[in-house]
Amino acid sequence: MLARLLLLTLAVTSLLASAEEDRVEQLLTQMTLEEKVGQLSQLGIQNTLSGPAIDPGELTHFPITQVGSVLNVYGAEHTRKMQEQVVQGSRLHIPLLFAYDVIHGFRTIFPVPLAEASAWEPELSRRVARVAAIEATASGIHWTFAPMVDIARDPRWGRVVEGAGEDPFLGSALAAARVRGFHGHGPPDLSSMMSTAKHFVAYGAAEGGRDYNVADLSERTLREVYLPPFHAAVEAGVEAVMPAFNELAGVPMHSNNALLTGLLRNQWGFTGLVISDFNAVWELIPQGLAQSPANTAQLAFNAGVDMEMASQSYRQYLPTQVGSGQVSRQSLDDAVRRVLKAKERLGLFDAPYRYSDEAREKASILTPQHRALAREAAQKSIVLLKNAGSLLPLPKSLGTVLVVGSLATDAQATLGPWAWAGHPQDSVTVLQGIQHAVSADTQVIYLPGASPDSPGTQGIAAAQQAAHDADVVIAVLGETADQSGESRSRAELGLPGAQDRLLRALLETRKPLIVVLMNGRPLVLSTNVQRAPALLETWFLGSETGHAVADVLFGDVNPSGKLPITFARSVGQIPLYYAHKNTGRPPLGDAAFESAYIDVPWTPLYPFGFGLSYTTFAYSPPRLSTTRLASTQTVDVEVTVTNTGQRAGDEIVQLYLRDDVASVTRPVRLLRGFRKVHLAPGQARHLTFTLGQEDFALLDERFIPVVQAGTFTVFVGGDSTTQNQARFEVTDSRRLSTPGPGAPN
Ligand code: BGC
């Protein structure tokens, strides 16, 4: 019975699929060359035009009836009107795809992705992306340009804020989770949103951390570090991929046939859309690859870019180029087919306005449930970096609390970059959160003191004076929302403006001082910051910032976040990351002629994976199920984690692996597992991680994935510097049958 039902379902599904394909094929036979190329164009409407009040009349000079997609237009009413214009005003009535950068929430704003990565909780990332999709789709959006899965090891690059940090293993887990979250149950569910893995590839490796700059990587680093999160996103079913603005070893990514077609399409089997970045097809001219917009169209299309965002080279030149044979008709049809299929899957041919429903929009935006998830995500994203003398958590019954720093009241900053559909007035600022949390008898005084975007020092004296009279000082310091993000590279990574001087003045009062950092990248923390007894990294936490920060400050929540990226001591150390190589002269710190610096320690200020709690955790030595195994076998690594403090808390248990000897050099350790555990005071739990060939594998000299016989050291602990270790041996070498992301074509 069950089997017959299954067969019937399969038959119906394949009938539906073939009906969809028939419609797409039929449309293709009816379309002119210009109409086909139109489908490959996305109109980039400036954000200033994207508000709900937009008048469609304003758009008459835009050829919206001749394009396949529109960027930056949202709102149920607004998208409906524009869709009507297109469906009714075009010959074949092909609906538009509405695309928007839903990066960390739509109207309910969640922590920036780097913050969310500090929670090390893929399921949380999935849930957050789900809510973002529910809100955005209710506002007419079909397609987001997220997740950004670029590995970033250079905090000068302002876009570190948009990704999951420095590690491909954590990054891959979060990339896949976010893709699943945006997708949900998939169409016909109205809250299913197409996602985009971007920016393919090595955008985070921009030289000098300067945005859009060239990347020049070894093939090994590309395959081992930068490609895996994209592969994970493709495996998770991401519907689109966006090439990066940068060139890679001399080949701009928008003309990179080897990677876009050879690797992504042919080797990985990606069947979705490749959408250019904003104007990036045209940018092949300044990059020195093309003489004219006509050349750019041919180069990008033949490399494998299906749809062009913003610049109009495709619309203008592809029809002639197909006519003259410079671009193949077959490839053109394939690209158009991918666009039409996406529209068909979303159900837009049958119901073009199905995503534009005002009632659904009203009911879906900023609901109490969404805000509750934003608060949970924000709480879990906070990293406690320092807590000397257990200054935190604070009692709620303090006499006078002084809150200092303009960021404390900066609602825009709570949203961080890439949150244009978010409204600052929906956000709880840090000051509001503190005011809300303390007892009725506590006096909360606020003074701006200094601000990240002004050199002005005039507020410092008053702040210092007020600090003298306060029981506790909370200094909210860091960056404004637009000091990180796209084109926000910084060469200096200290506190901008006069904030460090403010801090020095506050330290002079010797009052209990807590520094709450708000920023989009690991800052280089000055001696003054390091002198503060308590330090909370809160990144940009979104709509519920103030509540979440206060929850942690006053102990309603025990912080559990761990850094997804290393904090350097000095800009000169960058790039600095835990998975470095040993070198022939490892820095042991006791001799000259080591791989170190003479002026600054070589180690980070705070390592990858680091984060404190209001309780403490102890780890047993790792216990192995075997110490000798064949390459096809697995080994269980068991560890007991005990809460040795007075409060319940969550610990993110991390497992790292080192291949001790191999035919190519290996990083000193690589993250290979992580798990979050909740432990009551005194409670202990045994955790087991299973390691197998995927974990032992490496790419050999010819980039063939192999397991090589020899010893491995496994480390288990609370951050990437743990020395809690054990060793096992793999007794034979073997080539792997599954190629993995980095294998050669
Ligand atoms: C960014 C992309 C973004 C696009 C559309 C570009 O400037 O690099 O990440 O998706 O704009 O807004």
Side-chain angles (χ1 to χ4, degrees):
M1 178 65 188
L2 203 68
R4 273 175 51 198
L5 211 70
L6 201 69
L7 278 178
L8 196 69
T9 320
L10 280 176
V12 172
T13 321
S14 72
L15 264 180
L16 284 177
S18 70
E20 283 170 10
E21 269 162 31
D22 285 353
R23 171 153 35 196
V24 167
E25 294 310 320
Q26 209 184 347
L27 263 179
L28 271 170
T29 61
Q30 294 167 5
M31 291 167 85
T32 64
L33 209 48
E34 283 68 23
E35 283 166 339
K36 287 182 182 175
V37 170
Q39 287 302 308
L40 304 183
S41 305
Q42 182 178 73
L43 207 59
I45 293 175
Q46 285 308 314
N47 294 308
T48 46
L49 286 179
S50 68
I54 180 173
D55 168 9
E58 277 183 59
L59 293 164
T60 45
H61 59 288
F62 288 114
I64 55 167
T65 51
Q66 297 162 35
V67 298
S69 174
V70 162
L71 167 67
N72 285 341
V73 175
Y74 62 83
E77 183 194 346
H78 194 51
T79 48
R80 168 185 291 273
K81 281 189 183 149
M82 198 175 274
Q83 193 72 294
E84 270 168 11
Q85 256 182 293
V86 171
V87 171
Q88 291 163 17
S90 61
R91 190 176 74 92
L92 293 171
H93 316 295
I94 301 176
L96 288 171
L97 281 177
F98 288 103
Y100 192 68
D101 289 280
V102 182
I103 304 298
H104 51 112
F106 180 68
R107 178 72 183 271
T108 306
I109 301 300
F110 293 91
V112 290
L114 188 63
E116 191 184 278
S118 311
W120 293 56
E121 196 180 311
E123 177 56 13
L124 176 74
S125 296
R126 188 198 63 76
R127 287 163 62 213
V128 164
R130 187 83 291 277
V131 165
I134 288 171
E135 291 197 355
T137 54
S139 204
I141 308 296
H142 306 125
W143 183 9
T144 179
F145 300 126
M148 190 273 227
V149 303
D150 299 322
I151 295 300
R153 295 178 162 185
D154 189 334
R156 292 172 298 182
W157 189 52
R159 300 196 81 169
V160 294
V161 67
E162 294 174 53
E166 74 182 48
D167 183 64
F169 186 86
L170 178 61
S172 297
L174 298 179
R178 297 188 67 201
V179 167
R180 292 197 184 99
F182 288 128
H183 189 75
H185 293 304
D189 180 352
L190 271 180
S191 70
S192 181
M193 181 160 65
M194 288 170 58
S195 61
T196 310
K198 70 185 188 185
H199 308 82
F200 189 74
V201 58
Y203 187 29
E207 266 185 13
R210 186 159 57 84
D211 207 0
Y212 318 121
N213 202 2
V214 302
D216 201 349
L217 290 179
S218 74
E219 192 172 346
R220 176 165 303 281
T221 304
L222 176 69
R223 291 173 187 273
E224 291 181 350
V225 178
Y226 288 88
L227 285 173
F230 285 96
H231 190 248
V234 169
E235 296 278 286
V238 76
E239 289 89 349
V241 168
M242 180 188 288
F245 282 125
N246 55 284
E247 66 162 74
L248 179 57
V251 185
M253 282 311 305
H254 283 76
S255 62
N256 201 319
N257 184 281
L259 289 174
L260 292 176
T261 298
L263 183 82
L264 178 67
R265 279 255 181 258
N266 299 343
Q267 198 185 327
W268 291 359
F270 175 64
T271 56
L273 276 175
V274 175
I275 165 91
S276 88
D277 204 342
F278 199 100
N279 263 351
V281 170
W282 181 86
E283 287 172 19
L284 290 169
I285 299 176
Q287 280 180 311
L289 264 258
Q291 287 279 344
S292 65
N295 294 150
T296 67
Q298 187 185 344
L299 276 167
F301 187 80
N302 286 341
V305 179
D306 295 323
M307 185 181 269
E308 180 183 19
M309 182 194 291
S311 51
Q312 302 269 324
S313 305
Y314 280 18
R315 270 185 6 96
Q316 288 172 30
Y317 302 103
L318 277 188
T320 337
Q321 288 168 350
V322 172
S324 67
Q326 289 160 298
V327 164
S328 104
R329 202 171 282 272
Q330 176 65 46
S331 307
L332 183 83
D333 281 356
D334 286 346
V336 177
R337 199 174 272 121
R338 287 191 276 270
V339 176
L340 298 180
K341 277 190 176 166
K343 296 181 176 185
E344 177 68 65
R345 264 197 308 275
L346 294 170
L348 298 180
F349 285 112
D350 289 324
Y353 314 112
R354 62 196 299 265
Y355 278 71
S356 305
D357 172 344
E358 280 94 332
R360 180 163 90 97
E361 183 176 39
K362 256 203 205 92
S364 309
I365 300 280
L366 262 183
T367 65
Q369 293 88 327
H370 295 181
R371 289 203 80 118
L373 182 61
R375 187 165 179 167
E376 178 192 338
Q379 292 163 343
K380 289 176 167 173
S381 301
I382 295 174
V383 186
L384 178 64
L385 294 176
K386 185 176 176 189
N387 194 18
S390 296
L391 176 56
L392 291 175
L394 297 169
K396 289 182 182 171
S397 54
L398 289 161
T400 306
V401 180
L402 173 67
V403 179
V404 188
S406 67
L407 287 173
T409 55
D410 185 342
Q412 188 66 45
T414 63
L415 304 181
W418 290 108
W420 295 310
H423 294 190
Q425 61 271 28
D426 297 335
S427 263
V428 183
T429 64
V430 174
L431 180 64
Q432 287 166 341
I434 292 170
Q435 284 166 333
H436 189 248
V438 292
S439 72
D441 301 333
T442 303
Q443 200 192 3
V444 179
I445 297 171
Y446 166 71
L447 283 171
S451 131
D453 54 4
S454 135
T457 53
Q458 60 277 18
I460 294 180
Q464 190 183 40
Q465 187 53 47
H468 280 295
D469 301 330
D471 297 311
V472 165
V473 180
I474 300 174
V476 186
L477 307 173
E479 298 179 317
T480 60
D482 68 355
Q483 285 172 336
S484 66
E486 184 175 347
S487 78
R488 292 294 179 266
S489 295
R490 292 180 61 201
E492 306 285 355
L493 295 178
L495 291 172
Q499 295 180 100
D500 204 55
R501 286 183 62 183
L502 167 66
L503 190 56
R504 198 176 61 207
L506 297 173
L507 284 164
E508 279 166 11
T509 67
R510 301 190 170 277
K511 287 290 171 164
L513 173 64
I514 294 122
V515 172
V516 172
L517 291 169
M518 283 174 75
N519 44 264
R521 51 157 64 83
L523 296 172
V524 167
L525 302 176
S526 67
T527 338
N528 287 324
V529 181
Q530 292 178 53
R531 280 172 57 210
L535 201 50
L536 269 191
E537 177 54 84
T538 73
W539 314 106
F540 297 119
L541 293 175
S543 309
E544 286 289 321
T545 295
H547 286 148
V549 170
D551 289 338
V552 168
L553 286 174
F554 297 98
D556 289 333
V557 165
N558 189 350
S560 59
K562 302 268 190 176
L563 296 177
I565 187 164
T566 302
F567 273 49
R569 296 171 192 273
S570 149
V571 173
Q573 292 178 303
I574 294 168
L576 187 67
Y577 46 91
Y578 83 91
H580 63 86
K581 302 288 180 75
N582 206 33
T583 82
R585 296 185 175 196
L588 302 171
D590 53 3
F593 302 103
E594 293 183 340
S595 178
Y597 300 100
I598 57 169
D599 52 351
V600 174
W602 73 275
T603 53
L605 182 62
Y606 293 114
F608 175 81
F610 176 81
L612 300 171
S613 162
Y614 294 154
T615 187
T616 45
F617 300 98
Y619 284 77
S620 73
R623 299 178 290 272
L624 305 180
S625 58
T626 176
T627 51
R628 270 173 71 82
L629 63 148
S631 57
T632 47
Q633 292 178 317
T634 58
V635 52
D636 287 346
V637 183
E638 195 190 68
V639 70
T640 307
V641 188
T642 310
N643 181 344
T644 48
Q646 306 302 318
R647 285 171 179 268
D650 289 345
E651 169 72 334
I652 298 167
V653 179
Q654 302 155 45
L655 179 144
Y656 297 86
L657 192 63
R658 175 176 185 153
D659 190 342
D660 297 325
V661 182
S663 66
V664 291
T665 61
R666 301 303 294 146
V668 292
R669 59 179 66 186
L670 286 173
L671 184 70
R672 277 290 169 263
F674 58 90
R675 197 121 7 114
K676 193 181 273 190
V677 279
H678 181 79
L679 293 171
Q683 191 187 353
R685 270 182 63 183
H686 309 301
L687 299 178
T688 305
F689 296 87
T690 302
L691 298 175
Q693 56 178 27
E694 302 280 302
D695 305 296
F696 312 145
L698 59 92
L699 298 174
D700 72 4
E701 310 87 296
R702 288 171 304 134
F703 299 103
I704 310 286
V706 292
V707 176
Q708 294 181 342
T711 62
F712 288 79
T713 308
V714 60
F715 304 85
V716 189
D719 69 55
S720 62
T721 63
T722 178
Q723 291 304 324
N724 188 34
Q725 56 188 282
R727 186 169 281 185
F728 61 88
E729 186 183 353
V730 173
T731 51
D732 62 313
S733 301
R734 206 162 60 82
R735 184 178 170 149
L736 294 196
S737 48
T738 44
N745 304 353

